Amino acid sequence: MFGSFAYYSLPAQRVSLESIVTSEWQKPGFVCKPLQKTTLHGLSTDWSFDECLANVIAPDTTNVNAATKHANVVHYDYNFASDGDSNKGVVSVYDVAYASSVLQKTNQASDDWKRDGYSCYPEPPYDNTFNVHYNHSECLDVVLPPSAATVQSQSPNGYGFSYHPFGNEFSLGYPCSASLVSRLLTAHSSCPIMPPCSGSCQCIYAKFLPSGAVINTWCDETKPYYVFGGGFYAGMQNMLDASGSITLDLAIKGWNDILNTQADQHGGFGNEFMCSFLKLNGNGFRCFDKPKPPATKEVAIQQYASEYPPETICAPLKLNSPFQCTRNVEVPAPTRLSLSVAAAQAVFALTGIALVALLRKLQMPSTTTSESLSTDGDLRSMMRKLRNEFHSTVDKLRTDQDQLRTGQDQLRAGQGTHEELIQKLLSKEGGR
């Protein structure tokens, strides 16, 4: 018995694996793993929550990549993990935002640019006065002031200098209209009128601005408004610019005069006036109840790092129940002693059975005893037979001992199953 107890006291025999099935994704002291696969942002996996945290790759220039989305607009997706080319986990802030967005495009269109609780942006392809992607609020912060980068000459196909609030690369400049001219002339009524020209031409009258640049009293609504020099005059039959040329520096000052003109009952002439044109877009406005998707890779990396940490990406795995939770537990000393006694009793019983069978064979009378034992050869033959039977009995005893160990292992496994059935039965009773 002491030998069997020593066997069950070995480190490998002192530990038993405990396993339970539960709907909870974690259990103190246990390692839990789902019993089935699930799809995590496109990735088919049977990761546990902790395994996911260890395998998610942080966003950087290698896994945040450009993707062409709705209306051929480029956005940036985050590939946080992959298992081959076809099994990838991808997060897209654009897809998330687009799924809950609302397209506003009505016949009236005057209020399509706004929606309570949403941020609205012109729907591409852009069809507004400046053909830009900004909405009204963004426009107020990105309008560029008059400078060499935004004021350009209209020569040789026009006269003076126009102002392009989003940069000279945009062909559409400061919009012109009859109402705009009327408002400017009224606002600058105290400024002198350009002297009328002489000769046979009919003159276009204009007014000086405080800087010395000139605004005229009419405009072509298909072209940008412009300022020109004080000596400019034009007629129906000929146009002369002998002494009225204007420098870029003076044109910039003239445009600053216009933008800083005092507001009237219709509003000002600066950013608010220009951005008001972005409240209309021929293709309507898409309104998002989530932050606007990033427009550059650098911004996308920052946004994914802040909004999609591993804990957020892996959170759906907590719902992938049922889970199998396991842990190693030490077999108590009384249990090891009980197993040792049972093993010793089994060995003793088998040994006793073998000895009794051997003795019975030795004591069994033979009808030919005198003949079979009459010679030394017969005696040796009998001894060999007894020896072989003894070895056979010992081998059987060893086999039975191995079967006993297998039965003990099955007993341990059955103990875990028994506990699991008890837990299920208790949970059903509690549900009633």
Side-chain angles (χ1 to χ4, degrees), residues 275-356:
C275 294
S276 65
F277 289 92
L278 298 186
K279 294 180 179 180
L280 297 175
N281 185 60
N283 293 309
F285 291 80
R286 185 163 296 277
C287 302
F288 297 90
D289 59 353
K290 295 179 175 60
K292 184 181 180 182
T296 65
K297 175 176 283 195
E298 292 72 19
V299 175
I301 292 173
Q302 296 175 4
Q303 185 169 342
Y304 281 119
S306 62
E307 296 182 9
Y308 287 91
E311 292 79 8
T312 301
I313 293 176
C314 300
L317 295 179
K318 296 179 181 180
L319 305 177
N320 187 26
S321 64
F323 299 88
Q324 183 177 39
C325 300
T326 59
R327 68 174 178 177
N328 290 323
V329 295
E330 184 176 357
V331 179
T335 302
R336 286 185 279 120
L337 181 59
S338 176
L339 291 172
S340 301
V341 172
Q345 288 176 343
V347 171
F348 290 155
L350 292 175
T351 303
I353 292 172
L355 290 175
V356 169

Side-chain angles (χ1 to χ4, degrees), residues 91-108:
V91 175
S92 173
V93 292
Y94 178 84
D95 291 345
V96 173
Y98 191 85
S100 61
S101 66
V102 177
L103 177 63
Q104 294 194 151
K105 184 179 180 182
T106 64
N107 293 331
Q108 291 76 21

Side-chain angles (χ1 to χ4, degrees), residues 64 121 239 255 282 318 375 379:
V64 174
Y121 303 90
M239 294 186 179
W255 273 110
K318 296 179 181 180
T375 62
L379 181 60

